Every structure is written in structure tokens, then in C-alpha cells.
Amino acid sequence: MMSVTPRLNRMFSRQGKCFDVAIDHGFFNEFSFLSGIENMKQAIRTIVEASPDCIQLSTGQARLLQTIPGKQKPGLVLRTDAANIYGSELPGFLFSELIDRAIEQAVRLDAVAVCVNLLLLPNQPELHHQCVRNIALLKTESEKYGMPLMVEPLVMLPNEQKGGYMVDGDIRRIMALVRQGVELGADVIKADPCDDVSQYHRVIEVASGVPVLVRGGGRASDEEIVGRTVELMNQGASGIVYGRNVIQHPNPAGMTNALMAIVHHGASAETALDLLKGEGQ
């Protein structure tokens, strides 16, 4: 069994912080997710130039990152499962399907971690069961190769209530699912924020020392996303995994710089917004 430490050291800073930009949305067959990433080569280059810690990609797009020359590329977090739960109406058959030999593909692509869903949808126990099985399979393989396993516990509202990828901010449900991810062997947790962000320290506590990176979710205003990120870091989060709030922003590089200042340097919301506006250069 190989240690995950070398790859985690590439993923996290010396202070144990990480900003992962997720642009794996095309994996999920949802047209609205393609906004800002229609041209993946350009999108990836834009993010690489802004220098976050990691970029989250699928197997089909990871080559666009790993063929960029130079030493300073962000680490690759490889998405390992494709799901069909993100439309405004749920299909009759739900799945979250692992790619074949996911860990071997991650090793070949020089990934620093793999990411897999732990989905909890109302009245869909079969889907939850499939996710638990996926994680169990990946855990065994990841340990052989020293590949960190990032589990993404995702608690969703009833589709008829909100429709299409709307998360449930109930901290009790988030805590329970985060803990299940930890119990299944997660090396890193990628979790939703709760409705009352000032209570997020409870999620950090229940993760039992496993670093928690907080998801960004749908697009929000600059003030909201920056203020929320500052509070989440103050609550003990180890970092963030944001996608649409970066790549769909008019200034993706500026937003990346602002968020990196919060995650790695403890910047205030005011300072981060100044950076975003170009006033803190």
C-alpha cells in the first residue's frame, strides 16, 4: 500500500489549504453547464494562468491540461463518475457510473486526486447505494497506488420542489452525509455549504480531521461568493472547490486571484473584492 501523502502535498499548501477550480461540468450531459466552457482549451489556459492549486477535469479533457508545458501547472483532480441527475426533470433511470479503471487512468494522467460523488436524493435509495459501492471500489484501488480519494457528499432537494441540481442546506443532513464519506475512507471531502454558514464548524468537526473543501454551487454575486468564502475559511474549511463562480465570471482570472488571497492569505472580503476589481494589484 502506497501513501497518499506525496500527492496530497502537491494538492495542498504547506498550511494545508487548497483552491480547486472545477470545470468538469461537461461530463454530465446538461446544456446549461456548458456556459463559459464551450471552448475547453481556452478555459483551461485561462485558469492555468491564474494559478489555482488544482483543476478538476474529466478523463477526456485532462490531456488539455497535461500537455501544457512548464512546471507550474495546477494539479489535476480527476472526476471519476458521470451522473444523470442534473436536469430540471429527473429521468426514469438514475445512475452515477464510474469510468473504467479509474485509478489507473488517474495515475497515467498524473492526477493528484480523484473525485467521486456520494449522492443523496429524496426517495432514491438505489442511487445512494450505487454511490456507496462506487466509493468502496475506488477506495480499494486508490490505496494500491497512493491516490487520494476526494468524496463529494451532495444532499439534494426534491426535484419537484426546486428542479435541477438544487442542494439542501440542512446542516444535519450535510453532517450525516459528510461523516458517511469519511467512514467510507475519504482522504478529502468536497461538501456543500450549509444555510447558516456560521455553523459550518460543525461540518468540519464531524469530518474528524479529514480536510473539507467547500463547493461553490450555482452562480452568485461577487459580494456573496467572496463573503461566504471568508466565513467558511474562518469556520475551519481547508479550502474551496468552485466552478461556475469562476469560469462563468466575466473575469475568471481575477476571481481566481481574489479567492486564492482568501484561501491562502486570509484576505478580508474587502481586500478580495479590491483584487477582483484590479485595485489591489
Side-chain angles (χ1 to χ4, degrees):
M1 185 186 303
M2 294 179 64
S3 170
V4 298
T5 301
R7 286 189 172 94
L8 287 178
N9 284 343
R10 290 168 58 195
M11 184 176 183
F12 288 86
S13 71
R14 185 175 298 178
Q15 294 74 31
K17 306 301 181 184
C18 175
F19 178 20
D20 175 18
V21 178
I23 46 178
D24 54 353
H25 302 85
F27 214 21
F28 303 112
N29 190 31
E30 178 61 32
F31 177 76
S32 63
F33 285 4
L34 299 180
S35 176
I37 58 169
E38 295 90 345
N39 185 329
M40 278 295 286
K41 187 174 183 179
Q42 179 179 320
I44 289 171
R45 285 193 174 275
T46 296
I47 297 303
V48 167
E49 290 171 5
S51 299
D53 301 291
C54 298
I55 299 181
Q56 192 165 298
L57 295 165
S58 65
T59 52
Q61 302 285 11
R63 61 184 173 79
L64 296 175
L65 171 67
Q66 301 300 40
T67 54
I68 295 174
K71 298 179 180 181
Q72 303 306 314
K73 292 189 297 295
L76 168 65
V77 175
L78 186 69
R79 165 64 68 178
T80 62
D81 55 342
N84 68 335
I85 63 166
Y86 303 112
S88 57
E89 295 183 7
L90 289 178
F93 175 77
L94 302 182
F95 66 82
S96 186
E97 184 75 16
L98 283 179
I99 61 175
D100 187 47
R101 300 186 181 184
I103 304 303
E104 291 182 23
Q105 291 199 54
V107 172
R108 285 197 297 269
L109 289 165
D110 192 32
V112 297
V114 294
C115 182
V116 62
N117 277 319
L118 179 56
L119 301 168
L120 187 64
L121 278 66
N123 304 313
Q124 300 293 343
E126 296 88 353
L127 181 64
H128 185 66
H129 173 239
Q130 185 179 359
C131 291
V132 170
R133 186 173 63 235
N134 288 346
I135 295 167
L137 290 170
L138 283 179
K139 182 61 180 176
T140 302
E141 289 301 304
S142 66
E143 288 187 337
K144 291 180 184 178
Y145 295 95
M147 181 63 64
L149 179 60
M150 181 194 293
V151 175
E152 182 172 355
L154 181 57
V155 183
M156 297 183 72
L157 291 167
N159 218 57
E160 60 273 14
Q161 180 177 335
K162 288 285 186 177
Y165 199 39
M166 298 302 293
V167 299
D168 188 334
D170 184 338
I171 193 169
R172 297 169 300 175
R173 303 186 73 198
I174 294 171
M175 287 173 65
L177 199 61
V178 164
R179 186 54 170 265
Q180 184 178 44
V182 171
E183 302 281 350
L184 286 167
D187 299 298
V188 182
I189 289 288
K190 173 187 172 185
D192 288 316
C194 54
D195 290 334
D196 181 358
V197 181
S198 69
Q199 293 297 305
Y200 207 75
H201 61 275
R202 299 172 62 194
V203 177
I204 306 301
E205 180 181 32
V206 83
S208 307
V210 172
V212 175
L213 306 181
V214 189
R215 294 178 64 255
R219 284 283 283 126
S221 69
D222 293 349
E223 291 75 15
E224 180 181 349
I225 198 68
V226 164
R228 184 199 310 163
T229 304
V230 168
E231 181 60 27
L232 286 167
M233 296 305 296
N234 289 339
Q235 289 288 311
S238 294
I240 52 176
V241 184
Y242 289 0
R244 285 169 289 174
N245 281 294
V246 174
I247 203 63
Q248 292 180 0
H249 193 276
N251 181 7
M255 178 56 83
T256 300
N257 290 332
L259 294 171
M260 285 287 282
I262 296 170
V263 170
H264 289 291
H265 305 294
S268 66
E270 182 181 10
T271 298
L273 288 170
D274 285 345
L275 281 171
L276 179 57
K277 297 171 185 174
E279 298 171 8
Q281 300 297 328

